[in-house]
């Protein structure tokens, strides 16, 4: 049996995370800023009575910022018994892949931090970067 992945956009690139980590995908909604939070933390939002921290995934991955529009979504994930929202530029599809289709992150001699990346999958002519959410959220700064 394959692995189901939610595919989403950051800038013009496609990324994916496992469906099993996703609680919900919601339209962008009101967020309350938190003083002295890291720059990638947008703030907190009220999700069905629960206060959920929200991060800007572009900033967390050190990508250029984009403007919010009608396609902007918050993907709410559950990690280590905590809910966290990730702002993404849009959700494109849910796909099923086999573990054997995941190619390792290419190694390069430059000092690129690839700890956030679980692997890369080819979908038709597009390359999709699979994120390691544990590293995205819990990496030591």
């Amino acid at each position: 049996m394959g692995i189901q992945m939610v595919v989403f956009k950051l800038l013009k690139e496609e990324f994916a995370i496992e469906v099993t980590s996703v609680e919900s995908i919601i339209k962008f909604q009101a967020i309350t800023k938190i003083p002295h939070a890291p720059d990638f933390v947008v703030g907190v939002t009220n999700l069905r009575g629960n206060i959920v921290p929200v991060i800007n995934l572009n900033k967390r991955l050190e990508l250029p910022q984009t403007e919010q529009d009608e396609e902007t979504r918050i993907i709410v994930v559950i990690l280590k018994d905590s809910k966290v929202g990730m702002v993404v530029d849009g959700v494109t599809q849910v796909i099923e892949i086999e573990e054997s289709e995941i190619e390792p992150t290419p190694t390069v001699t430059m000092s690129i931090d690839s700890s956030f990346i679980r692997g890369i999958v080819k979908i038709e002519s597009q390359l999709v970067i699979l994120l390691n959410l544990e590293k995205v959220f819990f990496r030591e700064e």
Side-chain angles (χ1 to χ4, degrees):
M1 185 167 149
I3 305 166
Q4 287 196 316
M5 309 292 281
V6 174
V7 180
F8 56 91
K9 286 199 172 288
L10 295 175
L11 299 169
K12 292 182 181 356
E13 302 301 326
E14 290 200 327
F15 293 80
I17 57 174
E18 286 192 47
V19 166
T20 55
S21 300
V22 177
E23 184 199 66
S24 59
I25 300 170
I26 60 173
K27 289 186 174 187
F28 192 82
Q29 63 184 37
I31 294 177
T32 302
K33 299 221 179 280
I34 300 174
H36 304 291
D39 69 338
F40 60 87
V41 175
V42 181
V44 294
T45 193
N46 184 346
L47 180 64
R48 296 182 287 278
N50 294 311
I51 304 302
V52 177
V54 178
I55 71 158
N56 181 317
L57 200 52
N58 277 336
K59 276 190 179 179
R60 182 64 176 139
L61 299 177
E62 299 178 0
L63 298 171
Q65 295 305 289
T66 56
E67 293 295 319
Q68 294 168 13
D69 60 23
E70 66 278 350
E71 297 297 316
T72 303
R73 295 289 182 267
I74 298 174
I75 300 176
V76 180
V77 297
I78 300 175
L79 288 171
K80 296 186 179 181
D81 299 323
S82 297
K83 292 181 188 178
V84 180
M86 306 183 307
V87 177
V88 300
D89 296 334
V91 174
T92 58
Q93 62 183 321
V94 174
I95 58 169
E96 186 169 322
I97 61 168
E98 297 299 323
E99 188 75 38
S100 61
E101 294 178 85
I102 301 173
E103 296 188 21
T105 306
T107 57
V108 291
T109 56
M110 297 180 290
S111 59
I112 294 174
D113 180 5
S114 61
S115 64
F116 291 167
I117 301 172
R118 174 177 169 189
I120 298 174
V121 175
K122 293 177 201 161
I123 301 173
E124 297 166 8
S125 63
Q126 185 78 21
L127 293 179
V128 177
I129 299 169
L130 305 181
L131 292 179
N132 180 336
L133 286 182
E134 296 246 337
K135 300 286 187 187
V136 170
F137 287 105
F138 300 111
R139 181 181 79 164
E140 296 296 319
E141 288 296 319

